[in-house]
Amino acid sequence: MSIGNSPEDERPFDDVSDVSDVSDVFDGVSEGARPSVGRALKQARIAAGLTVDDVTTATRVRIAIVHAIEADNFEPCGGDVYARGHIRTLARAVHLDPAPLITQYDAEHGGRPAPTPAAPLFEAERIRPERRGPNWTAAMVAAIVVVIGFVGFTMVNGGDGDKANVADGDATPSASESSTPKSQKTTAPKPEASDSAIAAAPQDKVIVKVSAPDGRSWISAKDHSGRLLFDGLLAQGDSKTFEDSSKINLVLGDAGAIDLFVNGKKIEDDWQPGAVERLTYTKGDPQAG
């Protein structure tokens, strides 16, 4: 018996391609007799020959949450936004159109949730302070001073050498000595690049790229004013890029399936599969070092 499956789930796994249309299970059902959202998902899963383990493996939604949703208990989802995302993901996994289920869920739970202000939703996020850019003006001034000092030192040493030749009685310079001296070209030393410096990071905005190379995940993105930029499922191999003048707020439904790039640099975090992460990035992120 598979762990986390109810008795009716213990049936052989059939190829989903053998089911011509899972939605046929619900044809002919009147509006008043329409099953609940959870029961519709469960019946479609069973009709497709899938177990809860199969759905969990395909969607990375935890077994406990799948069982709760099929029992019409949406509290473990963590709120309407997450519940809608899970319903959409599970519906696609069992070959149902998610739009009617989302509409039914909204009707049974007070309508579509209004956009939530950024501050309450992300009060537990990791806010990173802005990083000041390198002081290139000071570096250039220092380089110019070094060049001037080097040229002055060379000229002084050259003048002393000519005076020594005259004192030794060598009044007539040779042809090679009388030729016009070649101008010395001095190259200003380049400042060493620091591995931790992110010179290419934009200073007037924040750019966040979210990609799903190894799986898929539901994501939500908002700008600094709380305006919703994206809310949906990011399929495997897809990516999304978001820009804002000061701040991007993210919610990752399955952070373990996500690669995150902020201002051109990959964020290296040990996110676990199925973990929900709430993140905020600002101008200058990530910090140097």
Side-chain angles (χ1 to χ4, degrees):
M1 178 178 292
S2 301
I3 297 176
N5 291 340
S6 57
E8 63 267 34
D9 294 333
E10 299 307 319
R11 53 188 298 171
F13 178 83
D14 298 326
D15 190 349
V16 177
S17 61
D18 294 336
V19 181
S20 59
D21 187 355
V22 177
S23 61
D24 292 341
V25 176
F26 307 107
D27 288 345
V29 178
S30 64
E31 184 72 20
R34 179 181 300 172
S36 65
V37 173
R39 183 167 183 79
L41 290 171
K42 183 175 181 179
Q43 290 177 349
R45 174 178 59 77
I46 295 174
L50 300 174
T51 66
V52 174
D53 282 339
D54 296 330
V55 174
T56 297
T57 301
T59 64
R60 296 192 179 184
V61 178
R62 293 193 296 271
I63 291 178
I65 294 180
V66 176
H67 277 303
I69 290 176
E70 290 188 352
D72 292 307
N73 178 13
F74 300 98
E75 291 185 3
C77 296
D80 289 339
V81 174
Y82 304 110
R84 296 172 80 254
H86 288 322
I87 292 172
R88 185 180 292 107
T89 300
L90 296 180
R92 289 172 177 167
V94 298
H95 309 287
L96 281 181
D97 181 7
L101 296 178
I102 296 297
T103 301
Q104 183 176 350
Y105 175 84
D106 291 341
E108 295 173 355
H109 294 79
R112 182 181 178 88
T116 306
L121 181 60
F122 297 96
E123 60 185 358
E125 296 164 353
R126 296 174 288 174
I127 306 298
R128 296 173 172 84
E130 296 186 9
R131 178 183 61 84
R132 293 184 178 180
N135 192 343
W136 295 111
T137 302
M140 291 299 297
V141 171
I144 292 173
V145 171
V146 171
V147 172
I148 293 175
F150 179 78
V151 172
F153 177 77
T154 303
M155 293 178 63
V156 170
N157 285 349
D160 292 343
D162 292 342
K163 293 178 181 179
N165 290 336
V166 174
D168 291 340
D170 189 7
T172 304
S174 63
S176 61
E177 292 174 343
S178 61
S179 62
T180 303
K182 296 181 180 179
S183 60
Q184 298 182 0
K185 183 177 180 181
T186 305
T187 303
K190 297 181 180 179
E192 295 183 358
S194 171
D195 292 337
S196 62
I198 311 173
Q203 299 299 312
D204 59 343
K205 61 183 176 181
V206 56
I207 303 175
V208 177
K209 180 181 178 181
V210 183
S211 63
D214 301 321
R216 56 183 179 177
S217 171
W218 172 85
I219 65 172
S220 174
K222 295 185 179 182
D223 62 13
H224 72 280
S225 64
R227 182 172 62 92
L228 187 64
L229 303 176
F230 181 79
D231 177 15
L233 183 69
L234 189 65
Q236 182 175 356
D238 288 350
S239 63
K240 291 286 184 181
T241 301
F242 310 104
E243 294 186 15
D244 189 66
S245 60
S246 61
K247 182 169 64 175
I248 292 292
N249 296 315
L250 289 176
V251 180
L252 308 179
D254 183 359
I258 292 298
D259 281 352
L260 194 60
F261 299 84
V262 178
N263 294 328
K265 183 174 181 181
K266 185 176 181 180
I267 302 300
E268 301 292 348
D269 277 302
D270 188 18
W271 291 322
Q272 299 300 316
V276 177
E277 291 288 338
R278 300 177 178 86
L279 308 167
T280 292
Y281 293 100
T282 59
K283 294 185 298 183
D285 281 339
Q287 299 185 60

